Amino acid sequence: MTSLYWKSFASACLCVTLSHPAWSAGGIEIPGYAPATGVERSYRVQKATETDMSFWFDKPGASAMTMRGAFRQRMTVLSRDEDGIRVRWSLSADLPEGIAGLADSYQMNQLYRNSLTAYGTATLELETNLNSNPRNLSGVNQIVAHMREMATNGPDGVPVAGASAAGQSGIYDIIAKLEANPLQIVAVLAPEVQLLASGQSYQAEIMEIGQASATSRDEDYGGVSVPVTSTWTLESADATARTATLSLSEEADAAAFSQSQQPAIENLMSGFAERAKNLTADQLASLKRASKSRSVELVVSLDDGSTLEASEIVTVAAGGTRLRTYTHIQREDMPASLPLPAVLTAKDLQTPDLHIDPLPSAKAGQGILDELSTPPAPPKASQTVTPDNDGPKAIAPVSLEVKSAKVVSALTSFGSELDIMLTPESAAKFQDFTQAAVGEITQVLINDKVVIEPRILTPIPGGHIVINGEQDPKLLKVMAEQLALPGAKIVVRLRP
């Protein structure tokens, strides 16, 4: 939904088909995927991301944040032949009935609603291979035309005042890339397609319970080839329910993955330069190690080979940080059999304090230009906060000069982030600002638009600012281009 997937959809699809060798006779036969046509299937989809950077802060857990979403998506197989399948997905950002907790604790839903709006569609019609991995998307021209109209006229049809040439060209560059690879649209709006397809084989296979089958492949991370080992196991079969439960465990080579993450780790350490100076040799060595693992459980029908339920956990650890993503998908007409991670149903969560306004649209559809979702608020001349034991203190918005801005590989995910370095004078101003604003929610504005709203947990020295979270990597590139212009500045302030 929101965009926590780190590879292009086309390349990722190559990695998830059941490609293990034939199993010995006498085992369980997993049938090839043969779904019924013309039947609408509804899926309950729940997602969460947990980010923990408490290593870098004085209070353990102070920076541990969770974001989650719950959705109900519908799929219909329109036709099927020996060459492929035609499928329609009907998408919605609405919370399903019976979801525990307050609606505002499901922030992914609000972001996903804006994603559907920007793309101008709540329906995707796909041509897939026999595993149901997408290979073509219908209606790309209409989606791109809608995005061009929004880029030109603004989300509500009102021309965007003061839009820079660099920003406009950057948005059109994003659109051109979507035209070149339309499957990126599927990756953003319906990533559950890929997870479901991972349990579906194009032909029948014989598997023995408890016997593991390992395969390997290479993935590219910033020019570094990282070997990944995948192990498939048939865990159990239920003759009464006519289902089989499979597991997939994936592990990236630790040495190669650590090598690929060194630039991101160094960027993170430069942002905590003072704290890094006091680390022991063992702590420094630990920071430079990185790991990535993926664990998947799949319940597959022994009647038609379709995935009925899937649970996935992806964990990335590097540079004293950890990102863990959870996804659970269940076909609603079948009983659940996999355990649901507690984070997906917890009533109390430490969530980011995000301000997400709906992206205006004359249609009921929804999209991914999520930077448009937070309109700029007029800056105030001064604001007052009360730091601990320091009495009232006025904190005015601060304008900061940018020394450099570039898009780099994200440390705590598989996406990208915008790395901003301030000039020395502005770095000192920023440190003073964050010193006074500890405990408060602030805003960072680029071209008068709010891009992030972080809570300041500790003073930030060094003039280093990182923007990531739910920002689309292509939009990060647009912001980097804007900040590369002569005299580029950003503004930081308390949230009004």
Side-chain angles (χ1 to χ4, degrees):
M1 307 291 167
T2 63
S3 284
L4 293 180
Y5 285 85
W6 55 94
K7 290 290 186 184
S8 71
F9 193 77
S11 62
C13 288
L14 298 177
C15 305
V16 295
T17 54
L18 290 172
S19 56
H20 42 67
W23 295 75
S24 60
I28 304 298
E29 179 176 296
I30 311 296
Y33 182 49
T37 59
V39 179
E40 184 179 79
R41 304 293 190 187
S42 294
Y43 293 86
R44 178 76 58 104
V45 182
Q46 293 178 261
K47 290 176 164 288
T49 62
E50 290 180 333
T51 305
D52 189 349
M53 294 183 67
S54 55
F55 175 88
W56 292 104
F57 297 93
D58 293 329
K59 298 179 180 180
S63 63
M65 292 291 179
T66 301
M67 181 181 291
R68 67 181 176 185
F71 311 88
R72 185 174 184 267
Q73 314 293 34
R74 294 169 292 143
M75 182 273 286
T76 304
V77 175
L78 303 177
S79 63
R80 177 176 173 271
D81 57 31
E82 65 276 7
D83 295 322
I85 303 173
R86 193 167 189 87
V87 179
R88 177 190 294 121
W89 279 87
S90 300
L91 310 172
S92 172
D94 296 339
L95 276 172
E97 294 181 3
I99 291 296
L102 299 176
D104 59 7
S105 73
Y106 291 87
Q107 295 167 325
M108 285 185 182
N109 289 70
Q110 302 169 61
L111 292 167
Y112 184 57
R113 187 179 305 279
N114 284 344
S115 292
L116 292 174
T117 298
Y119 278 113
T121 183
T123 302
L124 294 180
E125 192 164 305
L126 313 172
E127 292 179 7
T128 79
N129 63 15
L130 294 175
N131 291 56
S132 200
N133 272 320
R135 62 188 183 192
N136 197 15
L137 172 64
S138 300
V140 174
N141 291 339
Q142 291 89 332
I143 292 173
V144 169
H146 175 82
M147 296 179 73
R148 287 184 183 277
E149 181 180 355
M150 289 192 69
T152 302
N153 298 324
D156 54 0
V158 178
V160 180
S164 69
Q168 288 295 93
S169 64
I171 292 174
Y172 287 116
D173 181 58
I174 295 170
I175 294 171
K177 290 179 179 178
L178 292 179
E179 289 179 302
N181 183 10
L183 293 183
Q184 293 183 20
I185 299 173
V186 184
V188 171
L189 297 185
E192 45 276 323
V193 174
Q194 178 185 344
L195 182 53
L196 291 173
S198 67
Q200 297 164 175
S201 179
Y202 69 96
Q203 62 182 4
E205 302 190 38
I206 302 295
M207 301 182 69
E208 295 181 1
I209 294 176
Q211 184 172 343
S213 174
T215 61
S216 63
R217 67 180 186 277
D218 288 340
E219 290 187 353
D220 180 81
Y221 292 94
V224 178
S225 182
V226 178
V228 177
T229 301
S230 302
T231 302
W232 282 94
T233 305
L234 175 60
E235 301 292 345
S236 63
D238 187 325
T240 302
R242 298 288 300 159
T243 61
T245 300
L246 295 85
S247 67
L248 167 63
S249 176
E250 292 192 329
E251 195 81 27
D253 179 81
F257 188 69
S258 295
Q259 179 187 351
S260 74
Q261 298 301 301
Q262 291 313 300
I265 292 173
E266 291 173 5
N267 282 336
L268 179 65
M269 291 178 64
S270 68
F272 295 91
E274 291 301 317
R275 189 174 184 87
K277 290 179 182 178
N278 298 318
L279 299 177
T280 67
D282 287 344
Q283 286 175 320
L284 286 172
S286 176
L287 287 179
K288 294 184 178 181
R289 290 194 292 268
S291 64
K292 171 197 149 188
S293 63
R294 177 177 180 238
S295 175
V296 183
E297 286 188 285
L298 300 143
V299 177
V300 178
S301 168
L302 293 179
D303 292 321
D304 65 4
S306 62
T307 301
L308 305 176
E309 188 176 4
S311 182
E312 177 189 59
I313 302 175
V314 178
T315 304
V316 182
T321 68
R322 187 188 70 186
L323 173 71
R324 181 167 288 161
T325 64
Y326 303 83
T327 304
H328 182 269
I329 305 174
Q330 178 197 347
R331 209 174 83 181
E332 289 190 327
D333 63 324
M334 303 297 293
S337 60
L338 298 178
L340 200 65
V343 66
L344 298 179
T345 57
K347 293 184 178 180
D348 297 317
L349 289 176
Q350 186 173 357
T351 59
D353 197 337
L354 296 177
H355 178 64
I356 307 170
D357 285 342
L359 208 145
S361 174
K363 303 171 65 174
Q366 304 139 6
I368 188 55
L369 298 180
D370 285 331
E371 75 163 354
L372 299 176
S373 66
T374 308
K380 296 183 179 181
S382 64
Q383 301 169 65
T384 301
V385 297
T386 307
D388 292 342
N389 305 318
D390 198 25
K393 184 174 183 179
I395 304 178
V398 178
S399 179
L400 305 170
E401 281 194 51
V402 175
K403 180 180 179 181
S404 65
K406 58 184 177 181
V407 178
V408 299
S409 297
L411 175 64
T412 55
S413 71
F414 297 92
S416 301
E417 59 192 16
L418 178 60
D419 187 272
I420 301 172
M421 289 300 297
L422 304 174
T423 63
E425 181 180 346
S426 289
K429 292 166 63 178
F430 184 56
Q431 182 171 347
D432 290 343
F433 174 86
T434 56
Q435 174 74 52
V438 168
E440 298 298 322
I441 299 173
T442 63
Q443 294 180 330
V444 177
L445 292 82
I446 297 177
N447 285 347
D448 295 326
K449 185 176 292 296
V450 176
V451 294
I452 54 172
E453 294 189 320
R455 182 185 295 275
I456 303 300
L457 301 177
T458 184
I460 303 175
H464 186 214
I465 300 174
V466 175
I467 296 175
N468 47 24
E470 296 300 312
Q471 297 287 344
D472 184 83
K474 300 176 185 64
L475 296 177
L476 293 178
K477 180 181 177 182
V478 173
M479 287 188 272
E481 291 172 347
Q482 294 169 342
L483 294 177
L485 298 175
K489 297 182 179 181
I490 64 174
V491 171
V492 293
R493 68 185 185 196
L494 295 185
R495 190 172 77 177

